[in-house]
Amino acid sequence: MVQSLLNAGLLFASGVLAANGVGGVKNGLARTPQMGWDNWNAFGCDVSEELLISTANRMVDYGLRDAGYQYVVLDDCWSAGRSENGTLVANSTRFPNGMAHVADSIHNLGMKFGMYATAGSLTCGRYEGSLGYEEVDAQTFAGWGVDYLKYDNCYNEGQEGTPLITYNRYKRMSDALNATGRPILYSMCNWGTDYPWKWAQTVANSWRMSGDITDNFNRVDPRCPCSGDEGYDCALPGFHCSAMNILNKMAPYPDKGQPGAWNDLDMLEVGNGGMTDTEYVTHFTMWAAVKSAMIMGNDIRAMDAKTLSILANPAVLAISQDKTGSSAVRRWRYYLPNNDNSSNATAAQGSGTIAEIQMWSGSLEGGDAFVGLLNLGDEAIMINASLADIFVDAGGSHSEEAQSSWDVYDLWANRMPDSAANIIIEANSTSAANLTGVYWNNTEKSYADGVAEEAPVLLGKHVGTVEAGGSISSMVESHGVYAVRLRMRAGPSKRKRDEL
Amino acid sequence: MVQSLLNAGLLFASGVLAANGVGGVKNGLARTPQMGWDNWNAFGCDVSEELLISTANRMVDYGLRDAGYQYVVLDDCWSAGRSENGTLVANSTRFPNGMAHVADSIHNLGMKFGMYATAGSLTCGRYEGSLGYEEVDAQTFAGWGVDYLKYDNCYNEGQEGTPLITYNRYKRMSDALNATGRPILYSMCNWGTDYPWKWAQTVANSWRMSGDITDNFNRVDPRCPCSGDEGYDCALPGFHCSAMNILNKMAPYPDKGQPGAWNDLDMLEVGNGGMTDTEYVTHFTMWAAVKSAMIMGNDIRAMDAKTLSILANPAVLAISQDKTGSSAVRRWRYYLPNNDNSSNATAAQGSGTIAEIQMWSGSLEGGDAFVGLLNLGDEAIMINASLADIFVDAGGSHSEEAQSSWDVYDLWANRMPDSAANIIIEANSTSAANLTGVYWNNTEKSYADGVAEEAPVLLGKHVGTVEAGGSISSMVESHGVYAVRLRMRAGPSKRKRDEL
Amino acid sequence: MVQSLLNAGLLFASGVLAANGVGGVKNGLARTPQMGWDNWNAFGCDVSEELLISTANRMVDYGLRDAGYQYVVLDDCWSAGRSENGTLVANSTRFPNGMAHVADSIHNLGMKFGMYATAGSLTCGRYEGSLGYEEVDAQTFAGWGVDYLKYDNCYNEGQEGTPLITYNRYKRMSDALNATGRPILYSMCNWGTDYPWKWAQTVANSWRMSGDITDNFNRVDPRCPCSGDEGYDCALPGFHCSAMNILNKMAPYPDKGQPGAWNDLDMLEVGNGGMTDTEYVTHFTMWAAVKSAMIMGNDIRAMDAKTLSILANPAVLAISQDKTGSSAVRRWRYYLPNNDNSSNATAAQGSGTIAEIQMWSGSLEGGDAFVGLLNLGDEAIMINASLADIFVDAGGSHSEEAQSSWDVYDLWANRMPDSAANIIIEANSTSAANLTGVYWNNTEKSYADGVAEEAPVLLGKHVGTVEAGGSISSMVESHGVYAVRLRMRAGPSKRKRDEL
Amino acid sequence: MVQSLLNAGLLFASGVLAANGVGGVKNGLARTPQMGWDNWNAFGCDVSEELLISTANRMVDYGLRDAGYQYVVLDDCWSAGRSENGTLVANSTRFPNGMAHVADSIHNLGMKFGMYATAGSLTCGRYEGSLGYEEVDAQTFAGWGVDYLKYDNCYNEGQEGTPLITYNRYKRMSDALNATGRPILYSMCNWGTDYPWKWAQTVANSWRMSGDITDNFNRVDPRCPCSGDEGYDCALPGFHCSAMNILNKMAPYPDKGQPGAWNDLDMLEVGNGGMTDTEYVTHFTMWAAVKSAMIMGNDIRAMDAKTLSILANPAVLAISQDKTGSSAVRRWRYYLPNNDNSSNATAAQGSGTIAEIQMWSGSLEGGDAFVGLLNLGDEAIMINASLADIFVDAGGSHSEEAQSSWDVYDLWANRMPDSAANIIIEANSTSAANLTGVYWNNTEKSYADGVAEEAPVLLGKHVGTVEAGGSISSMVESHGVYAVRLRMRAGPSKRKRDEL
């Protein structure tokens, strides 16, 4: 059997699990998907103390820390090799005060510090790798005050090909990190090789499940050769994978994430310029809905208003940080003829192109549900989703859920106005703008507690109801998503909940 | 070579095999596919002593024990972890009198007790797993009086990827169970990973061959990504697999089951509410025809008449428990245009949908044959099957079988009336209803002996004959099956049999 | 690089190879594909001393021994288990005089004796397997006088999944056979698992490359799930594979066979009744053309005239036993619309069916070429093949070969008349019939020597010429083959040859 | 993450890498793709001292050495087995003065000497293999003065199936070569088995990534069964692979090559007669563009003018030897209806054939770009490529690159005239012809230095400009390529470069 019923809330004996700290790697971290920032998508190897600390400060100023983005992660190219005693040494030009100083500075801002290493002989940037140096490197990281390790997969000396080979390689660092005694979030980055969603839950807090993301919504690139529902069985993860490529690749195993151990669809591209605002909204919403790690990848210091108002959207972040840890599931996809020329793959099919729509839904704490209606075509389209399909796991049209009526809350209708975002950016402070109803301070009160208290800013904007047996409908623009929270209004589901 | 000729009855030296006890795991159990009940499909983690014992009592009352459903299987979530000496401990709230008491209670009803463990570090419900504890756990189970072990595959620490890796992991428990000296039916549940049908016959009594079943006839779900005849090579078994998904996945290797070692298509969903009565009839018939393990998965205590009359159908159970242990084989499938909108996969193919019909047939003891005509489309359709196709393995149109005439017995025409079933349910006793011709007491006389004696209730209702070279024809409703037993009437096959 | 140029005759340093005995397993056997008979296809487990010896006698009587069918192979089910000292014991009822007696009897007829064992814990018929008993069983076989071992793959205890795992398992028996000192032809039967064509040349004389054949030309069966050019990568070899399924599966690696080590497309079904005479001719011709092992599988003692005249066709056997050991290659396949309803796979594609034609060609000793034009559709069709396509490996239209003219010899035009075959069968002697021009006695003079001497019976019937740059054309009946030998007539190829 | 940003020039800390010599196998060789000649494609096993030395002399005479073709590689069939002390011995008939003499002769011409061995028990030509003899054979080669080893994969005794198994086998020779102390370029030839592009960078200088090339542009052959973008996952590399088959197979992993470690698309067929001049131009251009090893495969001593003018094209070789080592990437492919009958695969799709066009582009030193427009159809076609698509990795239409204007240099417009080539060939000397503007002497000054100095002969012929936001357009003949270098003219890219 698998975890379906467990995720659906039927697991009552959680006291046992909590006591063990099991249900994921045993460090107790990432009970909800980790949130933070990593420099790679925007800066690549152009790293420095200044970049990290200035970015961390802006994250505080812009309210992103308090929105939950806790980790500041330094990616590849920070190294100057190994010292004579074998320990990794930071590049002293770029990190003139050493890594411990960077960690301290970030800690002093109330944030956490992440770093990067590789389970190979070299990092992807061809610096010293950690394969065979797991213990010493883990000790170095812990000594510097590191709270998070992104652990990559380049130059792995052929150590892959069965789950067991890859598991053993990644477990070595897991054990080494645990042995330091410092809680260090362990973020595996082996691109889905050897199916980490099958086995990583007991050794890591998250695992990348695809090749690297690129800042594009759905462009086909031969360098990301696996796609769609067969993409889980991929001998070449590649890179230049579009956001939709990665999302669809993950559709077969939404159940594999769980508190403490998450699917990582790769760092966000929001704000990097390669997608439209609509596309970024879809990208961000779906990463939240499927409980991906949420690591920003843009230049925080040069952020525009629309980027900020996506990244800080409290109604969507409440989905990401929902207590159940239950991923949305793709309930259906339909193909329709259209004229989208944006995808080479489509064009490659010869005459006649195809548009695609999808419906995703998932369980939220307290009996709520997430619903997302996606339009992957190039023209706006009316999309309908029946309660029977939204609640198909509960039994479809005969389920108590489908026979109840629901309030519908739009997750984007209360998006922070550009004016407010611009005030924040210009003032370097959230307090300068009126953020009532558009922002949540997770540092003061967690998303989970806010949802439990029915904070309106977390539920979204009430836009209507859907009757028992009815459907949700919305025009959805090209590459857009209509994303809502459903809350029980009346009927058997409501009664069941009231009895709790 | 493979076992084809053997299964077709050409194996005469069976004395050798019987002497060795080989032809399956060497515990001598499951000479026909195991029958029983498991709580998971209906109850998930909501387990207790009360659930098991009350269900066992109802199984006796409703005649299900005597129909052959012998095993009462407790699934996941029963555990409270390990004691200081390393042995598994039952949850004392839910099992206040301990597991041995549950076992005794079930034994006292003339039934057998099954339990659940996992070949991983955790069970799927995240309780203590048995990986590395095979010997001690087998001893615990034997000590409690366990007769059956369902052995799951979650959190297996990467120990998969070649048949050899998985074989070694599952063999450890096989050896441990054998070492207890207690005959314990060993039911592997590794979802077909690393092709257990290739190697499990010598270590287990049955093996799951797919991801978990869901209570749906043929809905496509991305979480069950493998399908059809290519489904045997599946890197992600998934879950939410429909009944027809699983049936078609098994079509390539019907020969792999044999007395003592069976394909397990997962527990029955009959009575759980997600399919129509017609669909449940098809599901149940085909599980029997392909010699799957037959483990009920509904709430026995809240069973309705139609559910009971499916589960107790003696003519179908006689197919399941046939002495040959020979699975039905899919002889053909045809695709026809239709308007079925029930399947997203079909819809996803764009304009124009497709209906599918299939014909399965197989050998039964004494020269009889099973034939099933399936309609997977959404409209009733006339289906014809020629003797040449039914007996294609014997040589098709030129075979003695195709040149004989046959009596046709409908396996569902004598289905227990709702009135009788309701009497049983209301009275908690089979003796209250007149079950003549609709029920078989396997405790008194086995299905095999009944068939040998030509008990009419086991043959089905005689509905006609088919002449040499002829065809069987029937209208078959949407998602239905026309299922019959053929018995030789005249011609070369009849003469050959009479000579025996 | 691969062996292409080598097979094309550019390898001149063969003295080195001959000295080493390399280029295959080092026992020196099977310099051309082995020929013989095995009981399985016709008799399955119904084996006995009487069957073997009477069949061997008929093989002599009917001229099959002298046509080259040297091995009489006993398949599964001969065993009575192991003795107390661990050696295999023959079933004394069926082999009352013991196996050595069978071997002696066959040897006395001037033939060789083959047996069967399995690289698993049980044989496919569930008798004692040889896994872990390789040395003792090899000694037993050698002691009995065995000359040939078919080594099967059932119940292999999960020992597969990489070429290395399977190689090691099969090499153990290879080494054990070599250690006996007796030359024993080693015929691997692992159904293509883990790609034996990649590695078996140094350990075995032949390797099965597919699931078991069935006596059908091209029927699709779900139990043989891999097909076509992708069939080389098959996780479930299955059984009930049609002749054309197997032929097409082998199309990607014709180069893998070589003197001493051959692709084995499984035993012949010629004469077993499931195909038409035309289909058997195609089956037999193509097995010869691709240098498969040639093991008859019919009941020799009940053979009809047409079966004998296929199996004894000297012009086709000269292709099989050609000195180059070079397989024919599929040069092209085309699909055409037709009305063939014989294939479920075709029907399954919905409305409109497809016929297929193929052209195979290959090099023969002395610059000759084999050409086969196959019609897989259900209606006769005119097929044309250009010299450019026939000689595409040599450079196509610009090659010396395509710019030469050729004599065309039909390989079936001199087929033994039914009258002659019937005389042989009735008289139990070839000498009773006039076989001039229709039979070759390989015992007196090998096929290779006969071809070198231009024996007309081996070349086939001269039916015309094809000019430089021209084409071969023939009407080919449904499921038939037009098979010819080309011999240089004039032009650059002829001059090149004359210079040798 | 992967190497994308690194390859795009963002890696600034290269001092670290250079110091370590990492970023490839640590022998410091092949900082640009190796260039040379190997006898196999033209001569197969027909090798001798005379062939090698006479060819090397012609390479000098024809200016090919000075064009950069440095290595003279002896392929298979040179061996006479092992001596009593276990060392490999050369065939004394064909190499009467021994291998050291051959090496010396080649060294005396200012060139380097390559040899061939196999990571198996036999070479593909069935001579003694080096598996298990790695150290002794490496010492032998070093002692003879060998500078390059092509290491093949035949008869590998099943040692494959996971990257780890193959890595270990090939690493043994890598270590052995390094242990000799002589710098020996290590050219792996394992046909892409077990994905060498994932792991070979740290053990070898190049790796074959497909089955053997054949002298054909795009013919489909069943013996090369993998094709297209799925070809990276190939269980049977095969042989008789067309140039376009190999090119498309490599499209998914252009990033895997890097200075010191290259994808090898197999030896060139230019001049061997199986393709048209247009096709050879395309073949040669694309091998250069994707940074394949550049090993000529024709008979240098019988070369015609057009072959010489392809192989010596300085503008194309400057792409191959560009300092970035960055491969071109396929940006799009489109399919169009046409009447090409040259491909069986196309024909096999039934009625209606399809033409294909592709656009490849890549980064060059100094901000230049390569663009190639390919026409795989059988009729000339106008192909357009927008700057947005050419620079999609930089951000597409919004990138600085797409918003700049560019000079366009045709890489083939300055091709050496036949008259000049014929003078060279007749005179056995480049000095006899006027090669101004059509030839580059890499011995005098490297391609990289020449490009840095803006040598016109290396840039190509200036044929126009493309404005910001514009497109390149050209009629491209059937099977041809329009190949250009773009150089920044004005706009943000130009300004950025000028600031450097």
Side-chain angles (χ1 to χ4, degrees), chain D residues 181-202:
Chain D
R182 184 177 178 88
I184 300 177
L185 193 153
Y186 184 37
S187 164
M188 278 177 50
C189 177
N190 83 325
W191 324 318
T193 305
D194 293 326
Y195 323 113
W197 45 85
K198 290 190 173 187
W199 48 260
Q201 291 88 350
T202 52

Short mmCIF file of all heavy atoms in Angstrom, two decimals, chain D residues 181-202:
data_model
loop_
_atom_site.label_atom_id
_atom_site.label_comp_id
_atom_site.label_asym_id
_atom_site.label_seq_id
_atom_site.Cartn_x
_atom_site.Cartn_y
_atom_site.Cartn_z
N GLY D 181 53.38 7.79 -16.88
CA GLY D 181 54.10 9.05 -16.90
C GLY D 181 54.12 9.72 -18.27
O GLY D 181 54.48 10.88 -18.39
N ARG D 182 53.71 9.00 -19.29
CA ARG D 182 53.67 9.59 -20.63
C ARG D 182 52.27 10.16 -20.86
O ARG D 182 51.28 9.50 -20.60
CB ARG D 182 53.95 8.50 -21.67
CG ARG D 182 54.01 9.03 -23.09
CD ARG D 182 54.38 7.96 -24.12
NE ARG D 182 54.36 8.56 -25.45
CZ ARG D 182 55.40 9.16 -26.01
NH1 ARG D 182 56.56 9.21 -25.37
NH2 ARG D 182 55.30 9.71 -27.20
N PRO D 183 52.17 11.39 -21.39
CA PRO D 183 50.83 11.92 -21.68
C PRO D 183 50.23 11.18 -22.86
O PRO D 183 50.74 11.26 -23.97
CB PRO D 183 51.09 13.39 -22.01
CG PRO D 183 52.52 13.67 -21.63
CD PRO D 183 53.23 12.36 -21.70
N ILE D 184 49.18 10.43 -22.61
CA ILE D 184 48.52 9.65 -23.66
C ILE D 184 47.04 10.03 -23.68
O ILE D 184 46.33 9.82 -22.70
CB ILE D 184 48.69 8.14 -23.41
CG1 ILE D 184 50.18 7.78 -23.41
CG2 ILE D 184 47.93 7.33 -24.45
CD1 ILE D 184 50.48 6.32 -23.11
N LEU D 185 46.63 10.61 -24.79
CA LEU D 185 45.22 10.99 -24.93
C LEU D 185 44.38 9.71 -24.87
O LEU D 185 44.64 8.76 -25.61
CB LEU D 185 45.02 11.73 -26.25
CG LEU D 185 43.68 12.46 -26.42
CD1 LEU D 185 43.83 13.65 -27.37
CD2 LEU D 185 42.58 11.52 -26.89
N TYR D 186 43.36 9.73 -24.02
CA TYR D 186 42.58 8.51 -23.78
C TYR D 186 41.20 8.69 -24.40
O TYR D 186 40.37 9.47 -23.92
CB TYR D 186 42.49 8.28 -22.27
CG TYR D 186 41.79 7.00 -21.84
CD1 TYR D 186 41.91 5.82 -22.55
CD2 TYR D 186 41.03 6.99 -20.68
CE1 TYR D 186 41.28 4.66 -22.11
CE2 TYR D 186 40.40 5.84 -20.23
CZ TYR D 186 40.52 4.67 -20.97
OH TYR D 186 39.89 3.53 -20.53
N SER D 187 40.96 7.95 -25.46
CA SER D 187 39.74 8.07 -26.25
C SER D 187 38.88 6.84 -26.02
O SER D 187 39.10 5.78 -26.59
CB SER D 187 40.14 8.19 -27.74
OG SER D 187 39.04 7.94 -28.59
N MET D 188 37.87 7.00 -25.15
CA MET D 188 36.99 5.87 -24.85
C MET D 188 36.06 5.59 -26.04
O MET D 188 35.48 6.50 -26.61
CB MET D 188 36.12 6.19 -23.63
CG MET D 188 36.80 5.96 -22.32
SD MET D 188 35.70 6.46 -20.94
CE MET D 188 34.18 5.61 -21.41
N CYS D 189 35.92 4.32 -26.33
CA CYS D 189 35.04 3.91 -27.43
C CYS D 189 34.07 2.85 -26.92
O CYS D 189 34.18 1.68 -27.26
CB CYS D 189 35.89 3.39 -28.59
SG CYS D 189 34.94 2.78 -29.99
N ASN D 190 33.19 3.25 -26.02
CA ASN D 190 32.22 2.26 -25.52
C ASN D 190 30.81 2.54 -26.01
O ASN D 190 29.84 2.10 -25.41
CB ASN D 190 32.29 2.11 -24.00
CG ASN D 190 31.49 3.17 -23.29
OD1 ASN D 190 31.42 4.30 -23.77
ND2 ASN D 190 30.86 2.83 -22.19
N TRP D 191 30.72 3.33 -27.11
CA TRP D 191 29.45 3.46 -27.84
C TRP D 191 28.30 4.01 -26.99
O TRP D 191 27.13 3.71 -27.24
CB TRP D 191 29.02 2.11 -28.43
CG TRP D 191 30.13 1.25 -28.92
CD1 TRP D 191 31.23 1.64 -29.63
CD2 TRP D 191 30.27 -0.17 -28.70
NE1 TRP D 191 32.04 0.55 -29.88
CE2 TRP D 191 31.47 -0.57 -29.34
CE3 TRP D 191 29.49 -1.13 -28.07
CZ2 TRP D 191 31.91 -1.89 -29.32
CZ3 TRP D 191 29.92 -2.44 -28.06
CH2 TRP D 191 31.12 -2.81 -28.67
N GLY D 192 28.64 4.80 -25.99
CA GLY D 192 27.59 5.40 -25.17
C GLY D 192 27.00 4.48 -24.11
O GLY D 192 26.11 4.89 -23.36
N THR D 193 27.48 3.25 -24.03
CA THR D 193 26.92 2.32 -23.05
C THR D 193 27.11 2.83 -21.63
O THR D 193 28.19 3.26 -21.24
CB THR D 193 27.60 0.94 -23.20
OG1 THR D 193 27.45 0.52 -24.56
CG2 THR D 193 26.98 -0.08 -22.27
N ASP D 194 26.04 2.79 -20.86
CA ASP D 194 26.06 3.25 -19.46
C ASP D 194 26.40 4.73 -19.35
O ASP D 194 26.95 5.16 -18.33
CB ASP D 194 26.98 2.37 -18.60
CG ASP D 194 26.43 0.97 -18.44
OD1 ASP D 194 25.20 0.82 -18.39
OD2 ASP D 194 27.21 0.01 -18.37
N TYR D 195 26.05 5.49 -20.40
CA TYR D 195 26.04 6.95 -20.31
C TYR D 195 27.39 7.56 -19.94
O TYR D 195 27.51 8.27 -18.94
CB TYR D 195 24.99 7.41 -19.29
CG TYR D 195 23.73 6.61 -19.28
CD1 TYR D 195 23.39 5.82 -18.18
CD2 TYR D 195 22.85 6.62 -20.36
CE1 TYR D 195 22.22 5.08 -18.16
CE2 TYR D 195 21.68 5.88 -20.35
CZ TYR D 195 21.38 5.10 -19.25
OH TYR D 195 20.23 4.36 -19.22
N PRO D 196 28.43 7.37 -20.75
CA PRO D 196 29.74 7.92 -20.38
C PRO D 196 29.73 9.43 -20.24
O PRO D 196 30.57 9.97 -19.51
CB PRO D 196 30.65 7.47 -21.53
CG PRO D 196 29.73 7.14 -22.66
CD PRO D 196 28.47 6.64 -22.03
N TRP D 197 28.81 10.12 -20.92
CA TRP D 197 28.76 11.59 -20.77
C TRP D 197 28.45 11.99 -19.35
O TRP D 197 28.64 13.14 -18.99
CB TRP D 197 27.73 12.17 -21.74
CG TRP D 197 26.45 11.43 -21.76
CD1 TRP D 197 25.39 11.60 -20.91
CD2 TRP D 197 26.08 10.38 -22.66
NE1 TRP D 197 24.38 10.72 -21.23
CE2 TRP D 197 24.77 9.96 -22.29
CE3 TRP D 197 26.71 9.75 -23.73
CZ2 TRP D 197 24.10 8.94 -22.96
CZ3 TRP D 197 26.04 8.74 -24.39
CH2 TRP D 197 24.76 8.33 -24.02
N LYS D 198 27.99 11.05 -18.53
CA LYS D 198 27.72 11.37 -17.12
C LYS D 198 28.98 11.30 -16.27
O LYS D 198 29.03 11.90 -15.21
CB LYS D 198 26.70 10.38 -16.54
CG LYS D 198 25.29 10.54 -17.07
CD LYS D 198 24.34 9.67 -16.24
CE LYS D 198 22.89 9.91 -16.61
NZ LYS D 198 21.97 9.20 -15.70
N TRP D 199 29.95 10.50 -16.67
CA TRP D 199 31.02 10.21 -15.73
C TRP D 199 32.43 10.15 -16.35
O TRP D 199 33.42 10.02 -15.62
CB TRP D 199 30.75 8.88 -15.03
CG TRP D 199 30.36 7.75 -15.94
CD1 TRP D 199 29.09 7.31 -16.17
CD2 TRP D 199 31.21 6.94 -16.76
NE1 TRP D 199 29.10 6.27 -17.08
CE2 TRP D 199 30.39 6.02 -17.46
CE3 TRP D 199 32.59 6.90 -16.98
CZ2 TRP D 199 30.89 5.08 -18.34
CZ3 TRP D 199 33.11 5.95 -17.88
CH2 TRP D 199 32.25 5.06 -18.55
N ALA D 200 32.54 10.23 -17.67
CA ALA D 200 33.86 10.00 -18.27
C ALA D 200 34.78 11.21 -18.20
O ALA D 200 35.98 11.08 -18.43
CB ALA D 200 33.69 9.55 -19.72
N GLN D 201 34.26 12.37 -17.85
CA GLN D 201 35.09 13.59 -17.89
C GLN D 201 36.31 13.50 -16.99
O GLN D 201 37.32 14.13 -17.27
CB GLN D 201 34.26 14.82 -17.48
CG GLN D 201 33.18 15.23 -18.46
CD GLN D 201 31.87 14.51 -18.22
OE1 GLN D 201 31.81 13.55 -17.44
NE2 GLN D 201 30.82 14.94 -18.88
N THR D 202 36.19 12.75 -15.92
CA THR D 202 37.33 12.68 -15.00
C THR D 202 38.27 11.51 -15.29
O THR D 202 39.29 11.37 -14.63
CB THR D 202 36.83 12.57 -13.55
OG1 THR D 202 35.91 11.50 -13.46
CG2 THR D 202 36.16 13.87 -13.12
#
